[in-house]
Amino acid sequence: MLVDVRNRMAVALDVSDLDRAEQLAKEVAPWFGVAKVGLELYSAAGPEAIARMRGLDLDVFADIKLHDIPTTVGRAARVLGRQGVRYLNFHAAGGVDMLRAGVEGLAEGARDSGQAPAIPIAVTILTSDPDVRAFDDRLACAIEAGCGGVVCSVDEVGRVHAARPDFVTIVPGVRFADGAHDDQARVGTPERVARAGGNLLVIGRAVTGADDRRAAAQRVSDAIVSALEGD
Ligand code: C5P
């Protein structure tokens, strides 16, 4: 059970200093099996950020949210695939052709460099955006393009799994009931996300901004376990 929960928790390393990111990742690695390298850290440290997290034996979620013409996205995805990321995301707003190019590029990159297959993920709607009207169209694009999952809020996990039970749902906007929402509009507690069937919980400030990060990580982990055990 413990190992399973760890693979459902991704820590958002939203810092611009790689040593600091590594220190954070190490500190919470007993609870988090996935390191999320986002735009800030990747802009600062590039492929080295991915290599260092892999060196800690963590899976890497490259939260780069690619969105450009299909050729450019496909080529960038290939480069990231070669670096051994486990998850890479694309903005579903870029459309089916762009997503498909990303899916193919990522698979090629992983294959060329002998890495395990990576999972292409579509960002449906940012959790900071309260307007979710485009959700169904974006999910349909992700399905048609051959993605393996989506980033969505806790409110949409059920809709995703109703359409595609095998899709990985990656859910940011995780907050303790007594915690600050910061800039997130659509949030859920760890219990609620786990009960809804969210597969990978992205947790940033609720843990990285806590006075006692280890205690906060343990609290998230316990909440997921108790939700999954149904008590
Ligand atoms: O600190 P917090 O838990 O809000 O961090 C959430 C993380 O998830 C951030 O790194 C943010 O970029 C990312 N994210 C998000 N909404 C999405 C996709 C990614 O908040 N739709």
Side-chain angles (χ1 to χ4, degrees):
M1 178 54 123
L2 251 187
V3 172
D4 184 42
V5 171
R6 190 172 171 268
N7 287 327
R8 297 180 71 148
M9 290 173 57
V11 59
L13 299 169
D14 292 327
V15 293
S16 57
D17 180 275
L18 183 51
D19 290 334
R20 171 89 192 103
E22 190 172 22
Q23 199 187 331
L24 260 177
K26 263 190 197 155
E27 191 178 352
V28 300
W31 298 273
F32 287 83
V34 181
K36 188 178 83 74
V37 174
L39 284 173
E40 184 180 357
L41 184 57
Y42 200 77
S43 300
E48 179 65 17
I50 291 170
R52 285 236 216 141
M53 296 311 141
R54 294 194 67 207
L56 296 176
D57 233 1
L58 294 167
D59 277 342
V60 174
F61 169 21
D63 181 19
I64 312 290
K65 302 189 181 75
L66 296 172
H67 189 175
D68 207 316
I69 59 170
T71 303
T72 302
V73 166
R75 294 170 72 108
R78 195 165 63 201
V79 171
L80 285 151
R82 284 194 200 116
Q83 293 169 14
V85 302
R86 173 92 178 118
Y87 306 93
L88 171 66
N89 59 5
F90 312 89
H91 267 295
V96 175
D97 290 348
M98 187 209 83
L99 289 174
R100 198 176 280 129
V103 168
E104 287 168 5
L106 182 63
E108 267 170 41
R111 199 175 48 231
D112 291 354
S113 59
Q115 314 279 357
I119 303 176
I121 299 291
V123 177
T124 52
I125 296 179
L126 295 175
T127 37
S128 55
D129 187 348
D131 183 354
V132 294
R133 282 173 299 183
F135 183 81
D136 289 328
D137 284 349
R138 303 234 174 112
L139 175 60
C141 281
I143 291 170
E144 195 181 336
C147 289
V150 292
V151 181
C152 63
S153 87
V154 61
D155 301 328
E156 292 98 32
V157 169
R159 266 150 91 186
V160 174
H161 284 150
R164 279 292 297 260
D166 59 323
F167 254 32
V168 175
T169 48
I170 301 186
V171 183
V174 178
R175 292 293 183 274
F176 294 120
D178 54 4
H181 286 193
D182 306 305
D183 56 348
Q184 299 284 19
R186 293 176 294 128
V187 298
T189 60
E191 293 89 334
R192 185 168 162 239
V193 177
R195 278 204 196 100
N199 301 114
L200 181 63
L201 283 72
V202 172
I203 298 140
R205 288 163 286 188
V207 166
T208 57
D211 292 334
D212 185 342
R213 287 185 281 273
R214 289 187 175 89
Q218 183 69 53
R219 190 176 166 200
V220 175
S221 179
D222 290 346
I224 296 172
V225 171
S226 85
L228 294 179
E229 286 175 348
D231 53 33

